[in-house]
């Protein structure tokens, strides 16, 4: 199977050459029927326009782009124990150790190789280990993970197995990036689908073989546990980013110990971790080579042979008969029978199925000996001073880029407050438009309640909502505004939890019953009394939103080479609006994508103009908040266009250029933004 996969891989350059040869033959056939003078004059331009262009597009389609993840290299001298573990795993897999080890931020392990010609030619091999794995996994499970990754290049499945795996990784990285506008891409994409089907049986067998090598090296129990731990750790890291790190990052703050916070989440949320370990992870995509987790675990779990099963059944029957006989003869003395030992220890049998199937009598008669087959492994310090490595990795993987470095408590507090301010700002903007009056703070909102105008404004914002639902929305908005007034007045603070949601409490930690105050403030008859009470107790009802210059909008996607009002423009879609960046000239599409990626990584300032550098094009960037868009109109045509109607009466026209491109997920994010703008204005 390995040889067949390698041959299928070699078909890519062969197919590319045949495609070029076919175009060349067609061009020769056209030129051969033309008069000699015309053929000589037209030959060179036609060759450049056809064969040259197709050759360039073929090279672009098959070119493997190397992306090195941000990380910290760890040498043998810095972590001898870790390298000793890796050397042992390499020896078990029958491969040479990697040329380097880099610790990265994601909860993953991968062997990267700098290949050429879609993996046909190998190169430097680097092992990328996620710091969360070093933090959370015992050494035995980490040994299984490393052995599995290195075993992908093992020749135990045949001399062509390493080449087949390199090619599959390279094609899986390259094929999804072949643009549909590439004239050479249609044939190559079709062949990539054929190659994937051809390689699937071998890739599945290779993954299972890598699992077996890991189990032989680290033990079946640790190999199975590692299979479940990796997707669970990745899921917990996604939760950590979504609930803890991400909000602070978007608010313009970064905690001083990112990976220390991840450890706290892992320690506090053991229930979620257990649920993730028990769940079947979703496939990462069509090029994912891993069989389902249940299949991989079943392949590692040995089953008793029919002979052993029959012997075990006969032994059980004899044991049952002996038990009945002994029980009948000893009923007067009440002495315990030997069979009671078996019935009282079902856990031992269920915990060691391999040992039970092979030596059923040994487990029941000498459980201590079975437990001593694999002594407990002492804790190993694989990387000296792991917290210091975490801080060094944070400086590389999470550079502040203008954000403020604070403690975790401050970061979480600023993040929650910023989220509330954004929600309040959007709600107050809608109420202001509906009531034809500026409503910038809680004091003005209470005035609307007392005048009876807030209910009418809320009804205009939500025209198809029942009176009870309108009342509930008003109470929710007032509760939000009162919480902000308490925080801004210094009478409240955030109380955070690594196991649940944060809550607003009094400065001394006592509970604040803001729900009752909000319900009373929603009644026009008691609104002024509530205002007086709040003012006397230190609530700052007139405070405005604190627009921090370091706050960032969350980037959802990006588009390169659009036409905005006739001007070449690149576009970033964020959760708050659109950032328009002056485009680069034609032929610099790759540079434009890199630049837009860098801008997205730096962050888009929320609600403020990006800082301008002298003599740069940054000063003409334009941010269009979604709140300023009144509606969107889709323009018909082969190249779809859009006209955004702005609330100040102006328009913004957008169309994709012929060489338009996207950052990953760019067009999907744009379609979602258009749907949102068209349906909620």
């Amino acid at each position: 199977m390995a040889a067949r996969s390698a041959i299928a891989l070699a078909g890519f350059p062969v197919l590319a050459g045949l495609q070029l040869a076919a175009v060349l033959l067609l061009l020769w056939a056209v030129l051969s029927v033309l008069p000699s003078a015309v053929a000589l004059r037209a030959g060179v331009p036609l060759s450049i326009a056809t064969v040259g262009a197709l050759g360039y597009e073929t090279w672009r389609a098959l070119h493997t782009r190397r992306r090195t993840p941000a990380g910290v290299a760890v040498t043998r001298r810095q972590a001898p124990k870790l390298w000793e573990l890796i050397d042992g795993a390499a020896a078990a897999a029958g491969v040479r150790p990697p040329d380097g080890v880099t610790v990265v931020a994601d909860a993953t392990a991968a062997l990267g190789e700098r290949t050429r010609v879609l993996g046909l030619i190998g190169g430097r091999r680097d092992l990328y280990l996620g710091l969360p794995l070093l933090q959370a996994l015992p050494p035995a499970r980490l040994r299984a993970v490393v052995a599995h990754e290195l075993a992908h290049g093992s020749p135990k499945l045949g001399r062509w197995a390493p080449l087949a795996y390199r090619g599959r990784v390279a094609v899986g990285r390259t094929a999804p990036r072949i643009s549909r506008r590439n004239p050479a891409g249609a044939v190559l994409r079709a062949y990539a689908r054929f190659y994937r089907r051809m390689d699937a049986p071998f890739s599945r067998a290779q993954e299972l073989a890598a699992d077996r090598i890991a189990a032989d090296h680290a033990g079946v129990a640790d190999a199975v546990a590692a299979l479940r731990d990796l997707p669970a750790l990745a899921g917990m890291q996604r939760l950590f980013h979504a609930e803890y790190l991400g909000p602070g990052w978007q608010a313009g703050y970064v905690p001083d110990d990112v990976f220390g916070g991840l450890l706290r989440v892992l320690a506090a949320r053991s229930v979620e971790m257990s649920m993730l370990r028990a769940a079947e992870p979703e496939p990462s995509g069509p090029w994912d080579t891993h069989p389902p987790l249940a299949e991989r675990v079943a392949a590692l779990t040995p089953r008793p042979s029919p002979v052993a099963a029959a012997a075990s059944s006969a032994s059980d029957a004899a044991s049952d008969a002996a038990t009945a006989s002994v029980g009948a003869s000893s009923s007067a003395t009440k002495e315990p029978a030997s069979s009671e030992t078996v019935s009282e220890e079902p856990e031992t049998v269920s915990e060691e199925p391999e040992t039970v199937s092979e030596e059923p009598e040994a487990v029941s008669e000498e459980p201590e000996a079975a437990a001593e087959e694999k002594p407990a492994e002492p804790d190993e310090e694989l990387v000296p001073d792991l917290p210091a490595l975490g801080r060094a990795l944070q400086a590389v993987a999470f550079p502040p880029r203008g954000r403020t470095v604070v403690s975790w408590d401050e970061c979480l507090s600023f993040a929650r407050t910023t989220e509330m301010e954004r929600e309040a700002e959007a709600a107050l903007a809608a109420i202001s438009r509906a009531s034809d009056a500026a409503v910038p703070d809680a004091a003005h909102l209470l005035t609307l309640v007392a005048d009876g105008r807030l209910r009418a404004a809320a009804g205009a914002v939500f025209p198809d909502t029942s009176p009870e639902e309108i009342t509930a929305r008003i109470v929710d908005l007032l509760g939000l505004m009162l919480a902000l007034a308490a925080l801004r007045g210094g009478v409240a603070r955030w109380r955070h939890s690594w196991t649940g949601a944060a809550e607003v409490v009094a400065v001394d930690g006592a509970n604040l019953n803001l729900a009752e105050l909000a319900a009373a403030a929603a009644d026009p008859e008691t609104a002024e009394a509530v205002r007086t009470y709040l003012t006397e107790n230190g609530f700052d009802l007139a405070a405005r939103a604190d627009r921090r210059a370091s706050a960032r909008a969350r980037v959802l996607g990006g588009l390169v080479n659009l036409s905005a009002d006739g001007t070449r423009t690149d576009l970033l879609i964020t959760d708050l609006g659109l950032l328009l960046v002056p485009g680069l000239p034609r032929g610099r599409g790759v540079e434009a994508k890199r630049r837009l990626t860098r801008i997205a990584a730096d962050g888009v300032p929320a609600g403020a103009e990006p800082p301008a550098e002298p003599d740069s094009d940054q000063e003409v960037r334009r941010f269009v908040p979604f709140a300023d868009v009144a509606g969107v109109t889709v323009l018909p045509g082969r190249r779809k266009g859009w006209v955004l109607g702005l609330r100040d009466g102006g328009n913004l026209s957008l169309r994709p250029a012929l060489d338009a491109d996207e950052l990953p997920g760019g067009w999907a994010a744009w379609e979602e933004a258009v749907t949102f703008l068209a349906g909620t204005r």
Side-chain angles (χ1 to χ4, degrees):
M1 287 192 298
R4 186 176 63 178
S5 295
I7 293 172
L9 175 66
F12 277 99
V14 172
L15 181 66
L18 290 176
Q19 188 173 218
L20 287 173
V23 173
L24 186 61
L25 287 174
L26 179 61
L27 176 62
W28 177 82
V30 171
L31 293 177
S32 64
V33 299
L34 296 177
S36 300
V38 176
L40 289 175
R41 288 196 301 269
V44 173
L46 283 176
S47 298
I48 295 175
T50 55
V51 180
L54 187 64
Y56 172 73
E57 294 297 340
T58 301
W59 176 86
R60 286 187 59 189
L62 297 180
H63 178 61
T64 303
R65 301 174 185 175
R66 301 188 184 97
R67 290 186 178 180
T68 304
V72 176
V74 178
T75 64
R76 289 182 177 273
R77 183 176 181 182
Q78 292 170 331
K81 288 285 187 181
L82 177 62
W83 273 95
E84 181 181 336
L85 182 150
I86 295 170
D87 290 339
V95 299
R96 60 183 177 84
D99 299 299
V101 173
T102 301
V103 176
V104 296
D106 291 335
T108 185
L111 184 67
E113 187 167 358
R114 300 180 186 178
T115 61
R116 290 175 291 175
V117 195
L118 289 180
L120 291 173
I121 301 176
R124 176 185 171 89
R125 298 158 61 249
D126 290 279
L127 180 65
Y128 298 97
L129 281 178
L131 183 65
L133 272 60
L134 296 173
Q135 291 177 309
L137 293 187
R141 296 184 187 180
L142 186 65
R143 183 177 294 112
V145 171
V146 174
H148 173 90
E149 292 304 319
L150 295 179
H152 285 145
S154 174
K156 293 185 177 182
L157 284 184
R159 59 178 300 185
W160 299 106
L163 171 61
Y165 179 77
R166 290 199 310 264
R168 180 168 62 253
V169 172
V171 174
R173 186 170 58 246
T174 303
R177 298 176 181 173
I178 300 177
S179 173
R180 295 194 176 275
R181 296 183 176 87
N182 190 326
V187 175
L188 295 175
R189 285 195 303 270
Y191 187 79
R193 292 191 293 269
F194 165 78
Y195 167 79
R196 188 173 62 202
R197 290 193 300 269
M198 180 73 68
D199 180 69
F202 173 70
S203 64
R204 175 183 174 279
Q206 195 170 39
E207 290 292 347
L208 295 177
D211 287 340
R212 173 51 58 190
I213 291 174
D216 293 341
H217 178 59
V220 173
D222 287 310
V224 171
L227 289 179
R228 297 190 181 279
D229 281 341
L230 282 180
L233 278 174
M236 290 299 295
Q237 189 174 41
R238 288 192 295 270
L239 180 147
F240 168 72
H241 280 268
E243 296 188 9
Y244 296 96
L245 180 61
W249 185 266
Q250 298 302 328
Y253 296 90
V254 57
D256 54 5
D257 185 12
V258 170
F259 296 100
L262 177 60
L263 264 184
R264 297 179 191 178
V265 170
L266 293 176
R269 297 200 167 192
S270 57
V271 175
E272 288 94 330
M273 183 69 177
S274 299
M275 294 174 62
L276 289 173
R277 292 185 82 253
E280 175 73 28
E282 296 182 359
S284 59
W287 288 93
D288 184 12
T289 61
H290 295 90
L293 180 59
E295 181 181 343
R296 299 174 68 186
V297 172
L300 292 179
T301 305
R303 299 178 181 177
S305 64
V307 176
S312 178
S313 299
S315 176
D316 290 343
S319 177
D320 291 342
T323 300
S325 175
V326 172
S329 62
S330 61
S331 58
T333 60
K334 304 296 183 181
E335 291 184 2
S338 60
S339 63
E340 294 179 2
T341 305
V342 178
S343 63
E344 289 175 359
E345 296 192 10
E347 296 82 7
T348 305
V349 176
S350 62
E351 290 177 2
E352 298 288 345
E354 302 85 359
T355 308
V356 172
S357 62
E358 296 173 3
E359 300 285 347
E361 297 178 359
V363 175
S364 60
E365 296 175 5
E366 294 185 18
E368 296 84 337
E372 292 176 358
E373 288 183 4
K374 188 177 182 182
E377 192 170 12
D379 290 337
E380 300 179 41
E381 190 179 32
L382 296 177
V383 179
D385 200 357
L386 197 58
L389 177 60
R391 291 189 294 271
L393 179 59
Q394 176 176 336
V396 176
F398 302 101
R401 300 184 187 276
R403 296 172 177 84
T404 305
V405 181
V406 295
S407 67
W408 261 113
D409 190 67
E410 291 176 304
C411 183
L412 294 174
S413 297
F414 288 138
R416 304 308 178 207
T417 302
T418 300
E419 288 179 344
M420 293 176 65
E421 287 175 345
R422 290 185 179 181
E423 184 178 350
E425 184 178 4
L428 293 180
I431 293 296
S432 299
R433 290 193 297 268
S435 61
D436 290 329
V439 186
D441 50 42
H444 286 75
L445 196 63
L446 289 174
T447 300
L448 285 184
V449 174
D451 294 345
R453 291 181 291 162
L454 182 57
R455 176 170 288 276
V461 176
F462 305 104
D464 299 327
T465 306
S466 65
E468 293 78 11
E469 292 177 345
I470 289 179
T471 300
R473 290 180 180 272
I474 291 175
V475 171
D476 289 342
L477 176 58
L478 286 169
L480 174 66
M481 297 305 300
L482 295 185
L484 285 173
L487 291 168
R488 294 164 181 166
V491 300
R493 63 176 177 85
W494 285 101
R495 181 163 61 197
H496 303 287
S497 171
W498 296 104
T499 59
E503 58 179 338
V504 178
V505 298
V507 174
D508 59 0
N511 290 329
L512 281 178
N513 198 349
L514 296 177
E516 289 186 4
L517 287 173
D523 188 346
E525 296 182 358
T526 57
E528 289 301 330
V530 172
R531 183 201 299 269
T532 302
Y533 171 82
L534 295 173
T535 303
E536 291 176 351
N537 284 274
F539 285 69
D540 191 350
L541 301 176
R544 306 292 179 90
D546 182 13
R547 291 183 174 272
R548 299 177 176 87
S550 57
R552 300 292 196 272
R554 184 164 62 94
V555 176
L556 306 176
L559 301 176
V560 180
N561 300 334
L562 302 180
S563 172
D565 291 336
T567 303
R568 194 172 176 86
T569 304
D570 299 334
L571 178 70
L572 280 178
I573 304 106
T574 77
D575 60 337
L576 298 179
L578 308 174
L579 179 66
L580 282 72
V581 181
L584 298 179
R586 293 184 183 276
R588 298 173 62 183
V590 175
E591 181 182 349
K593 291 181 68 173
R594 291 174 180 169
R595 183 188 63 160
L596 200 62
T597 301
R598 184 174 63 253
I599 294 173
D602 291 342
V604 178
E609 290 296 327
E613 296 181 0
D615 301 326
S616 74
D617 61 353
Q618 292 190 21
E619 59 187 359
V620 295
R621 292 180 191 172
R622 179 185 178 188
F623 187 78
V624 181
F626 287 144
D628 292 349
V629 180
V632 60
T633 302
V634 179
L635 301 177
R638 294 184 60 185
R639 286 191 299 130
K640 185 187 296 184
W642 305 268
V643 176
L644 276 59
L646 306 180
R647 297 193 181 279
D648 60 5
N651 291 318
L652 175 62
S653 176
L654 294 170
R655 276 188 182 275
L658 291 175
D659 57 345
D661 205 344
E662 64 173 335
L663 301 186
W667 283 115
W670 173 248
E671 292 296 338
E672 290 180 4
V674 170
T675 301
F676 166 74
L677 294 173
T680 62
R681 298 294 92 187

